[in-house]
Amino acid sequence: MSDDWTELYRPNNLDEVVGNPKAVASLRQWADAWSAGKPTKKAAVLIGTPGVGKTSAALALAREYGWDTVEMNASDQRNADAVKAVALRGALTQTFTDSGEFLSTLAGDLKLIILDEADNLSGKEDRGGVPALVEVVRNTKQPVILIVNDWYALSRKSSVLKSETEQIKFTSIKSVTIRGLLRKIAKDRGIIISDRALELLAENANGDMRSAIRDLQAVATGKTEVKDLDATSVSYREVEKTMYNVLDDILKSKDADRARRSLAEVDEPPDTKLLWIEENLPIAYRDHLDLYRGMKAVANADKYLGRVYRRQYFGFWSYAGDFLSYGVCAAKTREMHGFLRYNFPQYLMKMSRSKGVRAVQNSVCAKLGEAVHMSARQVKQDILPYYSRIYKSDPEFALKTSLDLELEQEEIAYILGEKIDAAAVKRIMKEMAPPAEEKAAKEKKAAKPKEKKRAPVNQSTLF
């Protein structure tokens, strides 16, 4: 019972991947093109929320087609050197079996390069990872799969990743599908489980198959029978969908008490709840007076949140919550019906997506600050805007300072305001390459120990 059931029951082939038949069919079609030696897109991107089977599908694909695998995940360092050393080298070279047998790509013997959580390539630790990833996608001779949760966060960094990859969408798995798989696992483990317990586990997983299997293992460990009461000990998976349900209770229903309870149950800070409601209130309330009253309630909630931070009296949180639930719910004159497509708060989205950009900006300011003997903060305020303008307009200045500051490709792209694979960025990188090679050659020559001069063979000696 100590084995991880998510690994023990991982699919062995694509037919065993449940819940996303269209995605599996697209993935198989892409793999067939590779097997035939005629792939239209060399890399595939598996897109979806955690636990919907993206990684399992990639590994099942490799097993079904008999391909070897090279994996990189979020726990690995994935800067430029690491991606080139692992993913790029694996994508450009041939492979061997575990027994040492050579596998030829021309004969259809391929290996699958899997980069998990590719959308998390950001920050100082993964510097240069995106340009290296672009190089992998463009030049690979082996099939490549990128696994992402937020596709936009990755595609916005490079147009190549958007235009030269096959995007395959995985959706949340339905509870009835989860229930069927859990029943099979319980039967295989010799565990008797009630239908109600299976239903509770499937609903609590909220579309996450991996979580459902782990919940089943948690409640079944050390038991031969799982009852309804055992399944109630598993908490509901709090994900973004929960906030969407809360918005339905507040913006559609006229039941203010239910709206208040629903908002209180969400494990989010009050200021985040305010952002969700403020973002989606204009979508739901089309009547101008309803929208006015709703926004006035949001403004009052914001006023109390400000008092919380100013006075450090957190009792005001309850007042803010009442305005966001009671106030907004009561602002409409009638119940709302029909489907509403809610938006994720733009502020949170921009802050999340700008994390990598801010890391590059800090790196550029630090290098400039070291050169001009100023703090990075001062450089950001007083120098960076003018430096960027001169950098864009003067190619000689751009090349010289790039070499002097040892700027990387992502930093050059940031200064120019371009994507990392833009023509202007490539031109500067190409111009920087020869001096870099000469510098490396000089360093290698300087590091080489000097050979002692040998005496000529015909030299006379005392002996």
Side-chain angles (χ1 to χ4, degrees):
M1 300 290 286
S2 60
D3 295 332
D4 185 353
W5 289 6
T6 58
E7 293 296 330
L8 194 61
Y9 293 97
R10 197 181 281 277
N12 292 312
N13 54 63
L14 289 176
D15 291 333
E16 296 181 4
V17 177
V18 298
N20 283 281
K22 291 184 179 179
V24 169
S26 300
L27 187 58
R28 182 177 274 124
Q29 187 177 1
W30 173 78
D32 287 339
W34 262 106
S35 295
K38 299 177 181 179
T40 54
K41 300 289 179 68
K42 295 181 178 180
V45 183
L46 308 188
I47 308 165
T49 55
V52 295
K54 303 186 299 295
T55 304
S56 293
L59 295 174
L61 171 72
R63 293 191 189 100
E64 181 173 319
Y65 284 77
W67 295 348
D68 194 11
T69 57
V70 176
E71 294 184 65
M72 292 186 73
N73 55 43
S75 62
D76 300 319
Q77 187 181 35
R78 299 182 297 183
N79 54 28
D81 293 336
V83 173
K84 289 179 180 178
V86 180
L88 183 58
R89 184 179 298 175
L92 298 180
T93 58
Q94 306 288 346
T95 188
F96 294 87
T97 64
D98 294 337
S99 60
E101 180 185 355
F102 175 71
L103 300 176
S104 172
T105 303
L106 298 176
D109 299 321
L110 301 170
K111 58 184 169 184
L112 182 62
I113 314 299
I114 302 174
L115 186 63
D116 206 348
E117 298 188 33
D119 51 322
N120 289 333
L121 283 170
S122 61
K124 186 176 180 181
E125 295 80 6
D126 295 335
R127 182 67 49 78
V130 174
L133 190 59
V134 170
E135 189 176 351
V136 171
V137 170
R138 275 183 163 169
N139 302 321
T140 182
K141 296 178 182 177
Q142 308 285 351
V144 175
I145 287 181
L146 310 179
I147 299 175
V148 302
N149 298 328
D150 186 356
W151 168 233
Y152 180 76
L154 180 64
S155 62
R156 68 187 290 272
K157 297 177 183 177
S158 170
S159 58
V160 172
L161 297 177
K162 191 171 184 178
S163 61
E164 298 188 16
T165 60
E166 182 80 20
Q167 291 108 47
I168 301 173
K169 174 71 174 177
F170 280 69
T171 58
S172 297
I173 303 174
K174 295 180 179 179
S175 61
V176 64
T177 304
I178 296 176
R179 194 161 63 242
L181 183 60
L182 294 183
R183 182 178 284 109
K184 289 180 181 179
I185 294 174
K187 184 178 179 180
D188 183 69
R189 306 302 294 187
I191 297 169
I192 301 172
I193 184 168
S194 66
D195 290 339
R196 179 55 181 163
L198 284 172
E199 186 179 345
L200 288 171
L201 291 173
E203 290 177 354
N204 287 339
N206 201 13
D208 187 337
M209 180 67 82
R210 181 171 54 234
S211 297
I213 296 173
R214 285 179 175 165
D215 288 345
L216 175 62
Q217 184 177 8
V219 299
T221 300
K223 299 175 183 177
T224 57
E225 183 178 0
V226 176
K227 299 179 181 179
D228 300 354
L229 186 61
D230 298 323
T232 58
S233 62
V234 177
S235 60
Y236 184 75
R237 285 293 182 283
E238 298 289 349
V239 293
E240 291 176 9
K241 188 176 179 182
T242 305
M243 197 62 212
Y244 292 130
N245 293 337
V246 171
L247 290 177
D248 275 344
D249 291 336
I250 295 175
L251 302 180
K252 286 186 177 182
S253 172
K254 286 283 290 181
D255 188 344
D257 288 328
R258 186 175 72 177
R260 186 175 184 272
R261 287 195 306 269
S262 183
L263 187 69
E265 290 172 357
V266 180
D267 188 17
E268 295 284 356
D271 50 353
T272 301
K273 295 176 183 178
L274 185 145
L275 291 173
W276 273 93
I277 295 172
E278 180 189 25
E279 181 79 24
N280 293 285
L281 192 58
I283 297 174
Y285 290 8
R286 301 299 178 88
D287 184 87
H288 295 308
L289 287 176
D290 290 355
L291 181 59
Y292 167 75
R293 287 189 291 266
M295 281 298 185
K296 190 173 182 180
V298 172
N300 286 329
D302 186 56
K303 186 188 301 181
Y304 277 102
L305 289 179
R307 291 173 180 172
V308 169
Y309 300 128
R310 225 173 19 249
R311 305 180 188 179
Q312 290 296 296
Y313 177 66
F314 293 91
F316 285 134
W317 271 1
S318 62
Y319 294 95
D322 286 345
F323 274 112
L324 290 175
S325 54
Y326 272 121
V328 174
C329 183
K332 56 181 174 291
T333 54
R334 59 184 177 85
E335 284 192 358
M336 311 292 293
H337 299 283
F339 174 75
L340 291 176
R341 188 180 296 278
Y342 298 122
N343 295 328
F344 190 90
Q346 292 295 313
Y347 175 79
L348 297 179
M349 195 177 294
K350 289 177 181 178
M351 291 300 291
S352 174
R353 290 171 180 169
S354 65
K355 181 180 178 182
V357 176
R358 284 181 276 128
V360 175
Q361 182 190 67
N362 293 337
S363 176
V364 171
C365 291
K367 290 182 177 181
L368 276 171
E370 186 177 355
V372 299
H373 306 290
M374 294 176 64
S375 68
R377 185 175 180 180
Q378 281 183 298
V379 168
K380 181 180 177 181
Q381 292 177 346
D382 302 333
I383 293 182
L384 185 59
Y386 304 103
Y387 172 76
S388 178
R389 186 158 187 170
I390 299 172
Y391 192 96
K392 293 176 184 177
S393 60
D394 190 340
E396 293 184 5
F397 174 82
L399 178 60
K400 186 177 185 306
T401 55
S402 297
L403 289 169
D404 292 342
L405 299 177
E406 298 182 355
L407 296 178
E408 299 174 3
Q409 188 169 352
E410 288 179 325
E411 295 168 337
I412 293 173
Y414 170 78
I415 297 170
L416 291 175
E418 300 280 357
K419 293 186 176 180
I420 57 174
D421 54 354
V425 178
K426 290 181 181 177
R427 177 181 55 78
I428 294 177
M429 292 298 296
K430 187 176 181 181
E431 292 174 351
M432 289 175 64
E437 291 173 0
E438 292 174 9
K439 183 179 179 181
K442 289 180 181 178
E443 290 177 354
K444 186 176 180 181
K445 187 176 180 181
K448 188 177 181 181
K450 295 181 179 180
E451 295 183 0
K452 295 181 179 179
K453 293 183 179 181
R454 296 183 179 180
V457 176
N458 58 351
Q459 180 179 353
S460 59
T461 68
L462 296 175
F463 304 100

